[in-house]
């Protein structure tokens, strides 16, 4: 068995749509009004979860949410493909998003998860990070690797394109680790 390893490096984005039940939403909204801040600012405050004194809610990561993340189409970003412990390919994201080619270089699927004009109502937290966005692995029975066996899923949010998923012959790769530094975090609410 041979192992494929893919590293997504550079600038990444994570979009988290938080799902709060009506009672918790009302209660936390009242706390935010008492503190003279918005609910999204309250959710981003790490001390808020400490003040709740709830062992099940220690950070924003413990809240029920739909999460989409990926590597942004930025000059610092790149994707490394390792096969049998050797780096065999390095792809820049702008090669994936380039639509001005006569023949597509890669198998691309567009996933319109977020249409900025028609976002669902809810609370959204946007986090940008830099570093190792994700490292993924998959063991395969083949002794050779072909780039045509990969399918890249891309998405767009607020005029920024990003790579959300990579599949090998319709198999998802297993997430191994992430080592990124958060550079920006914000939130907004759509009613």
């Amino acid at each position: 068995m041979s192992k494929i390893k893919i590293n997504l490096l550079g600038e990444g984005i994570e979009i988290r749509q938080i799902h709060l039940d009506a009672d918790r939403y009302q209660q936390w909204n009242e706390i935010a009004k008492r503190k003279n801040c918005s609910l999204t600012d309250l959710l981003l405050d790490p001390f808020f979860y400490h003040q709740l004194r709830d062992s099940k809610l220690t950070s924003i990561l413990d809240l029920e949410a739909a999460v989409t993340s990926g590597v942004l189409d930025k000059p610092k970003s790149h994707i490394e493909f390792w096969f049998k412990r050797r780096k065999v390919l390095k792809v820049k994201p702008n090669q994936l998003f380039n639509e001005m080619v006569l023949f597509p270089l890669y198998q691309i699927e567009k996933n319109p998860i977020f249409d900025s004009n028609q976002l669902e109502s809810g609370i959204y937290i946007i986090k940008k990070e830099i570093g190792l966005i994700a490292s993924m692995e998959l063991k395969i029975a083949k002794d050779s690797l072909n780039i045509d066996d990969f399918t890249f899923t891309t998405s767009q949010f607020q005029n920024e394109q990003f790579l959300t998923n990579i599949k090998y012959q319709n198999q998802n790769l297993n997430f191994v680790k992430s080592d990124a530094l958060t550079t920006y975090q914000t939130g907004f609410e759509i009613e």
Side-chain angles (χ1 to χ4, degrees), residues 35-88:
K35 291 188 172 197
N36 291 327
C37 67
S38 67
L39 180 59
T40 55
D41 290 341
L42 186 71
L43 293 176
L44 290 171
D45 183 10
F47 297 110
F48 168 67
Y49 301 98
H50 176 70
Q51 292 168 350
L52 284 177
R53 291 183 168 86
D54 186 354
S55 61
K56 294 179 184 174
L57 294 174
T58 59
S59 73
I60 197 167
L61 302 175
D62 296 331
L63 295 175
E64 182 183 336
V67 180
T68 302
S69 62
V71 66
L72 287 165
D73 181 17
K74 299 285 184 176
K76 292 180 182 176
S77 302
H78 62 275
I79 305 154
E80 294 178 347
F81 292 82
W82 293 74
F83 187 64
K84 296 183 179 179
R85 298 183 181 199
R86 288 192 174 140
K87 189 187 325 184
V88 293

Side-chain angles (χ1 to χ4, degrees), residues 2 13 19 27 38 50 53 68 75 80 88 92 97-98 118 124 126 148-150 152 157 170 173 175 178:
S2 302
I13 187 168
H19 305 292
Q27 181 184 12
S38 67
H50 176 70
R53 291 183 168 86
T68 302
E80 294 178 347
V88 293
K92 299 290 251 173
F97 298 109
N98 188 0
Q118 299 175 348
Y124 292 85
I126 297 15
D148 293 331
D149 292 335
F150 290 95
F152 300 90
F157 182 75
N170 290 326
L173 284 88
F175 178 81
S178 174

Side-chain angles (χ1 to χ4, degrees), residues 13-27:
I13 187 168
E14 178 182 277
I15 304 159
R16 189 176 287 274
Q17 182 183 8
I18 299 195
H19 305 292
L20 294 176
D21 58 67
D23 295 335
R24 184 172 281 169
Y25 176 84
Q26 184 66 27
Q27 181 184 12

